[in-house]
Amino acid sequence: MTEQKLETQGNPQPSGDERMPEKKARRRLLLQGNEAVVEGALEAGMRFFAGYPITPSTEIAEGCAMKLPKVGGKFIQMEDELASMAACIGASVVGVKAMTATSGPGFSLKQENIGYAALAEVPCVIVDVQRSGPSTGLPTSPSQGDYMQARWGTHGDHPVIAVSPSSVQEAYLETIRCFNLAEKYRVPVILLMDEIIGHMREGIELLNPEEVEVFDRLVKEDIEQAALPYDILPGERVPRITPFGEGVFYNITGLVHDNWGFPTNSPVKANRQCTRIMKKIDRNVEDIQKFEIDCPENTEVLVVSFGGTARSVKAAIEMAREDDYNVGYFRPVTVWPFPEKALSELADRVKHIIVAELNYGQMKLEVERVVAGRCPVTHIGKVNGTILKPNEILKLVREVSR
């Protein structure tokens, strides 16, 4: 995939008779990251939220409780996180875009039903506003310790997409994209936030309704086809799904199943299904992946980071460049599937890579796998509930540049 710049540039205005009507001004608001997630979800068409209050994600549940009834949606506080995930699956199966939000301990409880959604191919969005752990940990402190859990949290080989924003504006936009990816590929999508972004307040622009690109799931109009929920139409890779109960009933199960949705012990059918649900992500990586690169040709040290920590990295790089250090950065926005092709190309150009993250080295493992010994990889992280500061990153840049 080519470098994907996240900042957009306005097109030059035509002159004379060719001048187009001015676009409607966008609304600007001062929002928390958690509040921006609610706005993005509503824009994407989310009309059902099930959750259980947990710091530092509670503002998402509060926002959904206030705003969903105003647009004909439903909010329900469930008895626990496992039930919340189950409720979202049920809502999605009947055709409603559904979301839940949590933090580390609740994310662990959701894993069983995340696996169910992955195998049954039920689209939904799970927001995990990470906090310091393990266990109850430091409930109000930032962390990025759920990175590996986002990919491997539930058992068995399963497809997953995870996205991590690093600003309040991006939290809003990436929430919309999460819903689109979930619907397009019939997969649970994780918005891997962190407390830094969740509780940060920034001015953002809300898109006008006509600017929002929304992908709605494809359905099977033919009744006979609709009775085969996992049968794929010619030329497509993801099965269309008709909302359950709309003219036809079919079977849904967490067991490996055939095209009718009924359990099967056939090795041939099991291999076909389990391979297909993985390939629908693997074969569409270029559509799913998103990343940010600032890596001039003379870059010697590359800093890899994601989420809220990337903000400190950018500040550190600005200071390093003022001191004439040749430093660049690489920030995955889509953190799963990991953008290994893009990073691999950068690894051939630089002399050293630093991975900065608020954990004990989780993304570092992926970076080391991709780099495969072509250059040294050094980690800087924290697990004490505090953030990485630009000066701390700058100090390491200086050390590895000697």
Side-chain angles (χ1 to χ4, degrees):
M1 182 174 180
T2 57
E3 297 182 11
Q4 184 161 357
K5 296 296 184 182
L6 302 185
E7 56 274 12
T8 57
Q9 297 179 350
N11 294 323
Q13 287 288 331
S15 57
D17 295 336
E18 296 178 346
R19 183 176 294 277
M20 302 293 292
E22 290 187 8
K23 291 184 178 180
K24 179 182 175 183
R26 294 174 177 172
R27 273 202 306 154
R28 290 191 59 85
L29 297 175
L30 178 65
L31 296 179
Q32 270 190 344
N34 285 343
E35 294 168 338
V37 167
V38 177
E39 296 295 334
L42 292 171
E43 291 281 11
M46 183 266 295
R47 292 299 180 266
F48 181 86
F49 180 97
Y52 188 84
I54 182 170
T55 304
S57 73
T58 303
E59 293 86 357
I60 298 175
E62 292 173 342
C64 289
M66 289 188 292
K67 296 199 170 191
L68 273 173
K70 298 178 181 178
V71 294
K74 304 294 182 183
F75 169 92
I76 183 169
Q77 179 173 315
M78 299 298 289
E79 65 268 25
D80 56 33
E81 298 285 7
L82 195 153
S84 300
M85 191 66 223
C88 285
I89 290 172
S92 181
V93 164
V94 297
V96 181
K97 292 186 181 181
M99 181 176 80
T100 186
T102 188
S103 189
F107 194 43
S108 298
L109 292 172
K110 290 184 186 295
Q111 292 301 329
E112 179 181 353
N113 275 330
I114 290 175
Y116 186 105
L119 185 68
E121 298 183 81
V122 180
C124 50
V125 173
I126 304 103
V127 186
D128 175 22
V129 188
Q130 300 166 91
R131 73 191 208 190
S132 189
S135 189
T136 309
L138 299 169
T140 59
S141 299
S143 173
Q144 294 173 313
D146 300 350
Y147 173 71
M148 281 294 179
Q149 188 184 24
R151 176 63 188 90
W152 304 108
T154 194
H155 55 279
D157 292 311
H158 60 281
V160 74
I161 298 171
V163 172
S164 186
S166 68
S167 70
V168 177
Q169 181 74 54
E170 203 169 57
Y172 165 71
L173 295 173
E174 288 304 306
T175 301
I176 298 172
R177 191 167 76 98
C178 282
F179 275 95
N180 288 342
L181 291 172
E183 299 292 324
K184 188 173 185 179
Y185 296 107
R186 282 187 65 175
V187 67
V189 176
I190 297 160
L191 182 64
L192 196 63
M193 297 259 284
D194 51 58
E195 190 276 339
I196 299 169
I197 304 303
H199 282 162
M200 175 183 293
R201 288 192 180 274
E202 290 183 314
I204 74 166
E205 283 188 348
L206 299 184
L207 299 177
N208 294 317
E210 64 274 12
E211 297 178 288
V212 181
E213 294 184 9
V214 175
F215 186 96
D216 293 319
R217 72 188 68 174
L218 301 176
V219 302
K220 292 179 178 177
E221 304 292 348
D222 182 81
I223 294 296
E224 291 185 4
Q225 273 291 326
L228 289 163
Y230 297 100
D231 187 51
I232 301 176
L233 298 179
E236 298 184 1
R237 291 180 177 173
V238 180
R240 299 187 178 204
I241 183 171
T242 301
F244 192 84
E246 288 193 6
V248 66
F249 293 96
Y250 46 82
N251 200 62
I252 298 175
T253 177
L255 291 164
V256 173
H257 45 265
D258 57 20
N259 286 352
W260 293 89
F262 287 99
T264 177
N265 286 322
S266 164
V268 173
K269 293 179 180 179
N271 181 72
R272 183 170 59 212
Q273 189 206 8
C274 293
T275 300
R276 180 183 61 75
I277 63 174
M278 298 296 287
K279 292 295 185 182
K280 70 181 180 182
I281 303 300
D282 295 343
R283 290 175 177 170
N284 292 287
V285 163
E286 292 193 2
D287 179 54
I288 296 168
Q289 282 183 351
K290 192 174 184 181
F291 49 82
E292 184 179 17
I293 297 175
D294 182 358
C295 188
E297 288 299 323
N298 64 347
T299 297
E300 296 180 351
V301 177
L302 179 72
V303 187
V304 180
S305 191
F306 69 105
T309 303
R311 302 172 71 95
S312 292
V313 168
K314 288 186 179 182
I317 286 175
E318 288 181 8
M319 293 187 291
R321 287 174 175 173
E322 289 176 359
D323 292 339
D324 295 326
Y325 288 97
N326 298 322
V327 189
Y329 73 86
F330 177 70
R331 178 175 71 92
V333 179
T334 305
V335 293
W336 296 112
F338 188 75
E340 52 188 79
K341 181 181 177 182
L343 179 61
S344 182
E345 292 172 355
L346 295 175
D348 288 328
R349 293 171 41 194
V350 301
K351 296 179 180 178
H352 203 114
I353 292 178
I354 294 172
V355 183
E357 53 186 333
L358 293 181
N359 57 50
Y360 209 66
Q362 295 185 25
M363 184 174 278
K364 181 199 174 191
L365 296 174
E366 277 297 284
V367 173
E368 287 178 328
R369 178 184 66 82
V370 172
V371 172
R374 284 173 286 172
C375 66
V377 177
T378 302
H379 181 259
I380 180 171
K382 284 187 176 181
V383 291
N384 63 358
T386 65
I387 66 170
L388 278 170
K389 299 176 182 178
N391 283 336
E392 294 170 323
I393 300 168
L394 176 61
K395 180 182 178 182
L396 183 56
V397 168
R398 288 169 173 165
E399 289 176 359
V400 302
S401 299
R402 290 174 183 168

